[in-house]
Amino acid sequence: MKAFSRNLYLSLFGKVSQPKKGVYILNGHYLTRKHNAKAELFITFLNECRQFAEFINIEDAVQLIESGEAADVDGTFIAFTFDDGFDDCYHSLAPSLDKFGVNACFFVNPNYIDGDAEYIQRFNNQLVKTNNKKPLSWKEVKSLHDSGFIIGNHTLDHLRLSELDKNNIEKQIILAKEILESKLTSPCEFFAWPYGQYSDICDLSLEVATSTHKYAFSGCNFRSYTSCINGRKYFNRRHFEASWPPSHLKYFLSKSREYN
C-alpha cells in the first residue's frame, strides 16, 4: 500500500512538475529486473524524457560541474551512469543511448565478470539483491569502451568499503582498477563506491579512491553537485531506473541542484 501511494503521488505531481535548470547525473542499474527485457522500453523512456531535458555525455557533465558552469546553464541537462555491470548495459541500455547520440558510464566489478555460476548467484542474490541477472563479458565491456562509453571502477566484488580493513580496501579499489586498465589498455578514471551512501564509505577508502581516480561518485545527497570529506571531493548522483515512469524522474528533477 505504501509503495502504491508513493507511485501515485510521484505520477500525479510529476506530470505537473517543472524540472529546474542544471546538470543532473543519474544513477541506474538495469533496464528491468528481468533478463533480456526489450530495448524499446528504454527508448520510450528516453523519448519522453527528451520533452523536458537534454542529454549530454558524462564527461561533459563532470566538466560543467567541476568548472562551476553547471550553475549557469540555460536548460535541464541529464547524464547517465549505471552500476554493477549487468549485461543490460550492452544489449539494451547502450544501443538505446546510441540512438540519441549520448554515452554513459558503466561502473563494473571485475570479479563479477569473471565469476563462475556460484559467484554470480551470490553476487546477484546477496550483494545487489537483483536475481536472474547476468554480468557483462569482457568482450562486451571492451566493445562498449571502444564505442565511446566510459567504463568505471565499482570495486572488485561490490563489498561495503566502510567494513573493510586497509589491505582489503586497497585490493578492492586498486586491483579492480588495474584489471580494468589491463583489459581495456586505457586509464580508468571514474570510480563509484558500492551502495553509494555515506555509511558505505570511510575516510581511508575515499582517500584511496580519489588518489587513484580522477572522479569519484556517490549515490546520495543528490541536491548538491558535489560533496567533500577531509578535502576529498566527489560527485553526487540521483538514483533512477530505466523502467520508471518518466513522470517520476521529472518530479525529482524539479528539485534543483546547488553548489555547497
Side-chain angles (χ1 to χ4, degrees):
M1 185 64 182
K2 184 178 181 180
F4 173 80
S5 299
R6 181 177 185 274
N7 287 335
L8 181 62
Y9 176 89
L10 291 174
S11 295
L12 290 174
F13 283 90
K15 289 178 181 179
V16 298
S17 296
Q18 294 299 318
K20 296 288 196 301
K21 293 180 179 180
V23 178
Y24 298 81
I25 299 177
L26 301 185
N27 161 221
H29 298 84
Y30 43 69
L31 179 55
T32 72
R33 288 185 175 272
K34 297 179 180 179
H35 182 59
N36 283 341
K38 299 295 184 182
E40 287 76 11
L41 178 65
F42 193 34
I43 293 173
T44 299
F45 176 90
L46 294 172
N47 272 320
E48 294 190 37
C49 289
R50 278 292 295 270
Q51 297 179 25
F52 56 81
E54 295 294 324
F55 305 149
I56 60 174
N57 287 342
I58 183 61
E59 308 98 308
D60 296 331
V62 295
Q63 183 178 8
L64 286 167
I65 294 170
E66 194 169 45
S67 67
E69 297 175 68
D72 301 314
V73 294
D74 188 19
T76 303
F77 297 90
I78 293 173
F80 296 90
T81 68
F82 295 89
D83 293 356
D84 302 344
F86 300 126
D87 69 352
D88 301 42
C89 299
Y90 179 81
H91 293 291
S92 54
L93 299 176
S96 300
L97 291 167
D98 241 352
K99 292 181 181 299
F100 291 84
V102 68
N103 73 359
C105 180
F106 298 117
F107 290 102
V108 304
N109 306 91
N111 276 356
Y112 183 45
I113 299 171
D114 285 328
D116 59 18
E118 182 180 354
Y119 180 97
I120 289 170
Q121 184 178 32
R122 182 176 65 83
F123 185 99
N124 289 346
N125 296 350
Q126 297 180 25
L127 296 179
V128 298
K129 309 294 185 183
T130 308
N131 301 342
N132 302 317
K133 304 301 288 184
K134 294 183 178 181
L136 289 161
S137 68
W138 284 117
K139 182 179 179 180
E140 290 167 344
V141 171
K142 184 68 163 60
S143 178
L144 288 168
H145 172 264
D146 291 345
S147 299
F149 290 86
I150 302 298
I151 304 300
N153 181 2
H154 202 40
T155 73
L156 202 58
D157 295 291
H158 204 285
L159 302 181
R160 187 167 276 108
L161 294 171
S162 59
E163 298 177 352
L164 304 181
D165 61 21
K166 182 176 185 293
N167 287 339
N168 280 308
I169 286 171
E170 292 178 346
K171 176 184 175 183
Q172 286 295 316
I173 297 173
I174 297 175
L175 182 55
K177 175 182 168 68
E178 291 173 350
I179 292 172
L180 289 169
E181 292 180 339
S182 174
K183 294 287 187 180
L184 301 176
T185 63
S186 179
C188 177
E189 299 182 325
F190 288 63
F191 173 84
W193 70 81
Y195 306 107
Q197 301 302 304
Y198 291 131
S199 58
D200 304 314
I201 195 81
C202 61
D203 284 352
L204 176 59
S205 51
L206 187 58
E207 179 181 4
V208 172
T210 55
S211 65
T212 54
H213 298 77
K214 188 173 182 179
Y215 306 113
F217 296 82
S218 81
C220 57
N221 198 20
F222 149 76
R223 298 285 295 274
S224 178
Y225 278 115
T226 61
S227 294
C228 190
I229 298 177
N230 294 332
R232 293 179 283 275
K233 184 176 73 173
Y234 54 88
F235 295 82
N236 295 315
R237 301 177 292 167
R238 167 69 221 183
H239 175 237
F240 92 113
E241 296 300 346
S243 57
W244 281 10
S247 58
H248 291 197
L249 179 60
K250 189 179 178 185
Y251 173 83
F252 290 121
L253 299 191
S254 68
K255 314 300 179 183
S256 59
R257 306 194 80 194
E258 299 174 347
Y259 287 96
N260 286 334

